[in-house]
Amino acid sequence: MRIAIVQMNPTVGDLEGNSEAIIDQAHQARERGADLAVFSELCVVGYPPQDLLENRFFVDATQQALQHIAHNVPQDMGVIVGAPVPNRGPVGKRAYNAALLYEGGERLATVRKTLLPTYDIFDEHRYFEPAQERRIVEWRGLKLGLHVCEE
C-alpha cells in the first residue's frame, strides 16, 4: 500500500478553493500510485476557523464541500480529510473537529477529536465538542488508527 501525506496551505474560510486544492492533490497522489491520501486537520476550512464555526451556514456549507470532495477525488482510492462536522446531539458545541475517510464517493468513517488544546494560540474548546472515545477504523481489511493533531 502506498500512502500520500499531502501538505497544502488551506485558506481559512475558502471552502471552494480548499476543496479544489484537495481534489487536485488527491488526483496527483493517485497518479503517483497512492492508494490512500492523507490531508491535514481542518484542511477543508483552513486552520484556525475560529468564529466561522459559530455560523450554522458555514458548517452546513462545509458539509456540502465535503460531498463535492467525495464525488470528485479519485474513486478508487481512500482520502482522509479534516473538517468540522455538526454535533447533532441535544447539548454541547455545534461541531466536532474530525478526520473523515472517503472512498468511492462515500464517507466510510468519521473520527472525532477528543483532546482539544486550550493554550497559546489554541482555543478549540471554545468551538468544538470533544469526542467521548477514540476508535479504530477498518479500511480494505486494514485497521487504521486515525487521530487529529495531538491525540
mmCIF file with all atom_site columns, all heavy atoms in Angstrom, residues 26-39:
data_model
loop_
_atom_site.group_PDB
_atom_site.id
_atom_site.type_symbol
_atom_site.label_atom_id
_atom_site.label_alt_id
_atom_site.label_comp_id
_atom_site.label_asym_id
_atom_site.label_entity_id
_atom_site.label_seq_id
_atom_site.pdbx_PDB_ins_code
_atom_site.Cartn_x
_atom_site.Cartn_y
_atom_site.Cartn_z
_atom_site.occupancy
_atom_site.B_iso_or_equiv
_atom_site.pdbx_formal_charge
_atom_site.auth_seq_id
_atom_site.auth_comp_id
_atom_site.auth_asym_id
_atom_site.auth_atom_id
_atom_site.pdbx_PDB_model_num
ATOM 1   N N   . ALA A 1 26 ? -5.339 15.113 -4.506  1.00 0.00 ? 26 ALA A N   1
ATOM 2   C CA  . ALA A 1 26 ? -5.717 13.696 -4.472  1.00 0.00 ? 26 ALA A CA  1
ATOM 3   C C   . ALA A 1 26 ? -5.474 13.046 -5.828  1.00 0.00 ? 26 ALA A C   1
ATOM 4   O O   . ALA A 1 26 ? -4.967 11.917 -5.908  1.00 0.00 ? 26 ALA A O   1
ATOM 5   C CB  . ALA A 1 26 ? -7.174 13.540 -4.049  1.00 0.00 ? 26 ALA A CB  1
ATOM 6   N N   . HIS A 1 27 ? -5.821 13.750 -6.897  1.00 0.00 ? 27 HIS A N   1
ATOM 7   C CA  . HIS A 1 27 ? -5.569 13.208 -8.242  1.00 0.00 ? 27 HIS A CA  1
ATOM 8   C C   . HIS A 1 27 ? -4.073 13.062 -8.495  1.00 0.00 ? 27 HIS A C   1
ATOM 9   O O   . HIS A 1 27 ? -3.638 12.052 -9.073  1.00 0.00 ? 27 HIS A O   1
ATOM 10  C CB  . HIS A 1 27 ? -6.231 14.081 -9.311  1.00 0.00 ? 27 HIS A CB  1
ATOM 11  C CG  . HIS A 1 27 ? -7.696 13.812 -9.455  1.00 0.00 ? 27 HIS A CG  1
ATOM 12  N ND1 . HIS A 1 27 ? -8.202 12.743 -10.152 1.00 0.00 ? 27 HIS A ND1 1
ATOM 13  C CD2 . HIS A 1 27 ? -8.771 14.477 -8.956  1.00 0.00 ? 27 HIS A CD2 1
ATOM 14  C CE1 . HIS A 1 27 ? -9.516 12.753 -10.092 1.00 0.00 ? 27 HIS A CE1 1
ATOM 15  N NE2 . HIS A 1 27 ? -9.888 13.806 -9.369  1.00 0.00 ? 27 HIS A NE2 1
ATOM 16  N N   . GLN A 1 28 ? -3.285 14.028 -8.069  1.00 0.00 ? 28 GLN A N   1
ATOM 17  C CA  . GLN A 1 28 ? -1.836 13.914 -8.225  1.00 0.00 ? 28 GLN A CA  1
ATOM 18  C C   . GLN A 1 28 ? -1.285 12.726 -7.442  1.00 0.00 ? 28 GLN A C   1
ATOM 19  O O   . GLN A 1 28 ? -0.420 12.000 -7.929  1.00 0.00 ? 28 GLN A O   1
ATOM 20  C CB  . GLN A 1 28 ? -1.147 15.199 -7.778  1.00 0.00 ? 28 GLN A CB  1
ATOM 21  C CG  . GLN A 1 28 ? -1.342 16.357 -8.722  1.00 0.00 ? 28 GLN A CG  1
ATOM 22  C CD  . GLN A 1 28 ? -0.581 17.583 -8.271  1.00 0.00 ? 28 GLN A CD  1
ATOM 23  O OE1 . GLN A 1 28 ? 0.559  17.490 -7.849  1.00 0.00 ? 28 GLN A OE1 1
ATOM 24  N NE2 . GLN A 1 28 ? -1.220 18.738 -8.354  1.00 0.00 ? 28 GLN A NE2 1
ATOM 25  N N   . ALA A 1 29 ? -1.800 12.535 -6.234  1.00 0.00 ? 29 ALA A N   1
ATOM 26  C CA  . ALA A 1 29 ? -1.351 11.401 -5.412  1.00 0.00 ? 29 ALA A CA  1
ATOM 27  C C   . ALA A 1 29 ? -1.699 10.082 -6.094  1.00 0.00 ? 29 ALA A C   1
ATOM 28  O O   . ALA A 1 29 ? -0.888 9.148  -6.118  1.00 0.00 ? 29 ALA A O   1
ATOM 29  C CB  . ALA A 1 29 ? -1.983 11.474 -4.024  1.00 0.00 ? 29 ALA A CB  1
ATOM 30  N N   . ARG A 1 30 ? -2.895 9.993  -6.663  1.00 0.00 ? 30 ARG A N   1
ATOM 31  C CA  . ARG A 1 30 ? -3.308 8.766  -7.348  1.00 0.00 ? 30 ARG A CA  1
ATOM 32  C C   . ARG A 1 30 ? -2.435 8.508  -8.563  1.00 0.00 ? 30 ARG A C   1
ATOM 33  O O   . ARG A 1 30 ? -2.038 7.372  -8.822  1.00 0.00 ? 30 ARG A O   1
ATOM 34  C CB  . ARG A 1 30 ? -4.786 8.860  -7.747  1.00 0.00 ? 30 ARG A CB  1
ATOM 35  C CG  . ARG A 1 30 ? -5.294 7.557  -8.311  1.00 0.00 ? 30 ARG A CG  1
ATOM 36  C CD  . ARG A 1 30 ? -5.358 6.519  -7.198  1.00 0.00 ? 30 ARG A CD  1
ATOM 37  N NE  . ARG A 1 30 ? -5.661 5.209  -7.696  1.00 0.00 ? 30 ARG A NE  1
ATOM 38  C CZ  . ARG A 1 30 ? -4.874 4.142  -7.524  1.00 0.00 ? 30 ARG A CZ  1
ATOM 39  N NH1 . ARG A 1 30 ? -3.745 4.236  -6.855  1.00 0.00 ? 30 ARG A NH1 1
ATOM 40  N NH2 . ARG A 1 30 ? -5.225 2.985  -8.006  1.00 0.00 ? 30 ARG A NH2 1
ATOM 41  N N   . GLU A 1 31 ? -2.136 9.569  -9.317  1.00 0.00 ? 31 GLU A N   1
ATOM 42  C CA  . GLU A 1 31 ? -1.270 9.428  -10.493 1.00 0.00 ? 31 GLU A CA  1
ATOM 43  C C   . GLU A 1 31 ? 0.110  8.911  -10.112 1.00 0.00 ? 31 GLU A C   1
ATOM 44  O O   . GLU A 1 31 ? 0.772  8.243  -10.911 1.00 0.00 ? 31 GLU A O   1
ATOM 45  C CB  . GLU A 1 31 ? -1.147 10.764 -11.223 1.00 0.00 ? 31 GLU A CB  1
ATOM 46  C CG  . GLU A 1 31 ? -2.408 11.168 -11.957 1.00 0.00 ? 31 GLU A CG  1
ATOM 47  C CD  . GLU A 1 31 ? -2.361 12.601 -12.477 1.00 0.00 ? 31 GLU A CD  1
ATOM 48  O OE1 . GLU A 1 31 ? -1.285 13.238 -12.450 1.00 0.00 ? 31 GLU A OE1 1
ATOM 49  O OE2 . GLU A 1 31 ? -3.428 13.089 -12.897 1.00 0.00 ? 31 GLU A OE2 1
ATOM 50  N N   . ARG A 1 32 ? 0.534  9.200  -8.897  1.00 0.00 ? 32 ARG A N   1
ATOM 51  C CA  . ARG A 1 32 ? 1.840  8.739  -8.410  1.00 0.00 ? 32 ARG A CA  1
ATOM 52  C C   . ARG A 1 32 ? 1.745  7.376  -7.724  1.00 0.00 ? 32 ARG A C   1
ATOM 53  O O   . ARG A 1 32 ? 2.708  6.922  -7.123  1.00 0.00 ? 32 ARG A O   1
ATOM 54  C CB  . ARG A 1 32 ? 2.421  9.775  -7.461  1.00 0.00 ? 32 ARG A CB  1
ATOM 55  C CG  . ARG A 1 32 ? 2.783  11.064 -8.171  1.00 0.00 ? 32 ARG A CG  1
ATOM 56  C CD  . ARG A 1 32 ? 3.433  12.056 -7.225  1.00 0.00 ? 32 ARG A CD  1
ATOM 57  N NE  . ARG A 1 32 ? 3.818  13.247 -7.944  1.00 0.00 ? 32 ARG A NE  1
ATOM 58  C CZ  . ARG A 1 32 ? 3.427  14.472 -7.626  1.00 0.00 ? 32 ARG A CZ  1
ATOM 59  N NH1 . ARG A 1 32 ? 2.656  14.673 -6.581  1.00 0.00 ? 32 ARG A NH1 1
ATOM 60  N NH2 . ARG A 1 32 ? 3.829  15.497 -8.340  1.00 0.00 ? 32 ARG A NH2 1
ATOM 61  N N   . GLY A 1 33 ? 0.577  6.771  -7.783  1.00 0.00 ? 33 GLY A N   1
ATOM 62  C CA  . GLY A 1 33 ? 0.428  5.416  -7.281  1.00 0.00 ? 33 GLY A CA  1
ATOM 63  C C   . GLY A 1 33 ? -0.086 5.271  -5.867  1.00 0.00 ? 33 GLY A C   1
ATOM 64  O O   . GLY A 1 33 ? -0.096 4.165  -5.318  1.00 0.00 ? 33 GLY A O   1
ATOM 65  N N   . ALA A 1 34 ? -0.563 6.344  -5.267  1.00 0.00 ? 34 ALA A N   1
ATOM 66  C CA  . ALA A 1 34 ? -1.057 6.256  -3.886  1.00 0.00 ? 34 ALA A CA  1
ATOM 67  C C   . ALA A 1 34 ? -2.400 5.529  -3.833  1.00 0.00 ? 34 ALA A C   1
ATOM 68  O O   . ALA A 1 34 ? -3.248 5.699  -4.705  1.00 0.00 ? 34 ALA A O   1
ATOM 69  C CB  . ALA A 1 34 ? -1.199 7.645  -3.283  1.00 0.00 ? 34 ALA A CB  1
ATOM 70  N N   . ASP A 1 35 ? -2.557 4.723  -2.792  1.00 0.00 ? 35 ASP A N   1
ATOM 71  C CA  . ASP A 1 35 ? -3.827 4.060  -2.506  1.00 0.00 ? 35 ASP A CA  1
ATOM 72  C C   . ASP A 1 35 ? -4.653 4.873  -1.511  1.00 0.00 ? 35 ASP A C   1
ATOM 73  O O   . ASP A 1 35 ? -5.867 4.720  -1.434  1.00 0.00 ? 35 ASP A O   1
ATOM 74  C CB  . ASP A 1 35 ? -3.573 2.676  -1.904  1.00 0.00 ? 35 ASP A CB  1
ATOM 75  C CG  . ASP A 1 35 ? -2.780 1.795  -2.841  1.00 0.00 ? 35 ASP A CG  1
ATOM 76  O OD1 . ASP A 1 35 ? -3.285 1.516  -3.939  1.00 0.00 ? 35 ASP A OD1 1
ATOM 77  O OD2 . ASP A 1 35 ? -1.655 1.410  -2.482  1.00 0.00 ? 35 ASP A OD2 1
ATOM 78  N N   . LEU A 1 36 ? -3.952 5.698  -0.737  1.00 0.00 ? 36 LEU A N   1
ATOM 79  C CA  . LEU A 1 36 ? -4.582 6.495  0.315   1.00 0.00 ? 36 LEU A CA  1
ATOM 80  C C   . LEU A 1 36 ? -3.886 7.850  0.359   1.00 0.00 ? 36 LEU A C   1
ATOM 81  O O   . LEU A 1 36 ? -2.656 7.910  0.374   1.00 0.00 ? 36 LEU A O   1
ATOM 82  C CB  . LEU A 1 36 ? -4.433 5.781  1.667   1.00 0.00 ? 36 LEU A CB  1
ATOM 83  C CG  . LEU A 1 36 ? -4.985 6.481  2.905   1.00 0.00 ? 36 LEU A CG  1
ATOM 84  C CD1 . LEU A 1 36 ? -6.508 6.582  2.835   1.00 0.00 ? 36 LEU A CD1 1
ATOM 85  C CD2 . LEU A 1 36 ? -4.565 5.715  4.160   1.00 0.00 ? 36 LEU A CD2 1
ATOM 86  N N   . ALA A 1 37 ? -4.672 8.922  0.370   1.00 0.00 ? 37 ALA A N   1
ATOM 87  C CA  . ALA A 1 37 ? -4.132 10.275 0.517   1.00 0.00 ? 37 ALA A CA  1
ATOM 88  C C   . ALA A 1 37 ? -4.603 10.826 1.853   1.00 0.00 ? 37 ALA A C   1
ATOM 89  O O   . ALA A 1 37 ? -5.800 10.790 2.157   1.00 0.00 ? 37 ALA A O   1
ATOM 90  C CB  . ALA A 1 37 ? -4.597 11.182 -0.619  1.00 0.00 ? 37 ALA A CB  1
ATOM 91  N N   . VAL A 1 38 ? -3.680 11.329 2.651   1.00 0.00 ? 38 VAL A N   1
ATOM 92  C CA  . VAL A 1 38 ? -3.989 11.844 3.974   1.00 0.00 ? 38 VAL A CA  1
ATOM 93  C C   . VAL A 1 38 ? -3.714 13.342 3.994   1.00 0.00 ? 38 VAL A C   1
ATOM 94  O O   . VAL A 1 38 ? -2.593 13.777 3.700   1.00 0.00 ? 38 VAL A O   1
ATOM 95  C CB  . VAL A 1 38 ? -3.144 11.133 5.060   1.00 0.00 ? 38 VAL A CB  1
ATOM 96  C CG1 . VAL A 1 38 ? -3.488 11.671 6.439   1.00 0.00 ? 38 VAL A CG1 1
ATOM 97  C CG2 . VAL A 1 38 ? -3.350 9.624  4.993   1.00 0.00 ? 38 VAL A CG2 1
ATOM 98  N N   . PHE A 1 39 ? -4.752 14.101 4.343   1.00 0.00 ? 39 PHE A N   1
ATOM 99  C CA  . PHE A 1 39 ? -4.665 15.552 4.415   1.00 0.00 ? 39 PHE A CA  1
ATOM 100 C C   . PHE A 1 39 ? -4.675 15.994 5.872   1.00 0.00 ? 39 PHE A C   1
ATOM 101 O O   . PHE A 1 39 ? -4.928 15.209 6.773   1.00 0.00 ? 39 PHE A O   1
ATOM 102 C CB  . PHE A 1 39 ? -5.836 16.187 3.655   1.00 0.00 ? 39 PHE A CB  1
ATOM 103 C CG  . PHE A 1 39 ? -5.758 16.011 2.172   1.00 0.00 ? 39 PHE A CG  1
ATOM 104 C CD1 . PHE A 1 39 ? -6.193 14.834 1.581   1.00 0.00 ? 39 PHE A CD1 1
ATOM 105 C CD2 . PHE A 1 39 ? -5.250 17.005 1.362   1.00 0.00 ? 39 PHE A CD2 1
ATOM 106 C CE1 . PHE A 1 39 ? -6.114 14.648 0.207   1.00 0.00 ? 39 PHE A CE1 1
ATOM 107 C CE2 . PHE A 1 39 ? -5.156 16.845 -0.010  1.00 0.00 ? 39 PHE A CE2 1
ATOM 108 C CZ  . PHE A 1 39 ? -5.596 15.660 -0.584  1.00 0.00 ? 39 PHE A CZ  1
#
